[in-house]
Amino acid sequence: MLAFSEHRRSPPALNQIRPGMGASRNAVRKLEDRCREAGVKMTDLRRVLLHGILEAGAGATAIEIWKTLRTMTDGHPPSQGSIQRNLNLLVARDILRRDVSPDRLWHYSIAPERKGRLAVTFVEAGTGRKIPCRMPEVAALLRRAAAEHGLAVQAAAITVTPVPATGDADIR
């Protein structure tokens, strides 16, 4: 059985990745953008982990990602516990996909990117009239709220009522 050092140390930083190692900056940047869109705060540990995930390749196990990071950081990878916690978060936020093999190992790969735009529609309560919402920040908020519960929004309809003419909005 392999013995892994799990002693505490300072968190990894991008400058610890050996020159010539690490994934393409463009691929990492795209994943970082997906993480931010899903409401995942980008830390140095997560940036280093994204490099390791991309370098280990599709279908890598947590141990294979750890070994890749160990090579990339000249023997100073993040702890396996930190890696597993962050892998779980990235799976929950639909950044990574986790498949289980017949030998009960978890294999990680980049989840396919959502293709379509989220359709948000306001539905007027009294008339049923539908008004498209063209505010990307509303869609981003709904995606983030759903991701916190391990869900993904496909479409959303928000029931609204007209604001009274006097200017006093009835907030319920």
Side-chain angles (χ1 to χ4, degrees):
M1 180 165 190
L2 295 173
F4 299 106
S5 172
E6 292 288 332
H7 61 81
R8 270 195 184 284
R9 59 188 162 274
S10 60
L14 287 177
N15 63 2
Q16 290 178 328
I17 295 177
R18 292 181 6 205
M21 303 204 79
S24 94
R25 290 177 193 232
N26 191 31
V28 172
R29 197 172 307 120
K30 283 182 182 178
L31 276 179
E32 284 181 15
D33 290 343
R34 284 183 66 186
C35 288
R36 279 190 209 93
E37 184 180 301
V40 176
K41 180 182 175 187
M42 288 311 302
T43 62
D44 286 341
L45 169 70
R46 290 184 182 136
R47 284 186 182 92
V48 170
L49 180 58
L50 292 179
H51 277 274
I53 291 166
L54 290 167
E55 279 295 300
T61 65
I63 296 294
E64 291 167 345
I65 294 168
W66 181 84
K67 287 179 181 178
T68 300
L69 287 169
R70 183 178 62 184
T71 303
M72 289 170 56
T73 59
D74 209 15
H76 301 288
S79 71
Q80 288 182 12
S82 293
I83 290 171
Q84 190 61 61
R85 276 189 301 278
N86 281 284
L87 289 172
N88 291 343
L89 173 68
L90 295 174
V91 167
R93 299 295 172 94
D94 203 27
I95 311 290
L96 294 180
R97 190 179 73 213
R98 177 171 39 214
D99 297 313
V100 182
S101 64
D103 55 355
R104 298 186 197 168
L105 289 176
W106 287 346
H107 297 271
Y108 296 91
S109 55
I110 306 298
E113 207 166 340
R114 287 185 228 110
K115 300 280 190 240
R117 245 179 67 169
L118 175 60
V120 179
T121 306
F122 292 123
V123 179
E124 196 172 324
T127 64
R129 181 174 66 130
K130 295 181 180 181
I131 307 160
C133 174
R134 293 183 180 91
M135 298 173 65
E137 57 271 12
V138 172
L141 175 67
L142 290 172
R143 277 197 177 110
R144 199 171 302 129
E148 287 180 14
H149 298 284
L151 304 170
V153 179
Q154 302 301 316
I158 302 170
T159 305
V160 295
T161 57
V163 177
T166 60
D168 299 329
D170 182 22
I171 300 175
R172 295 177 195 178

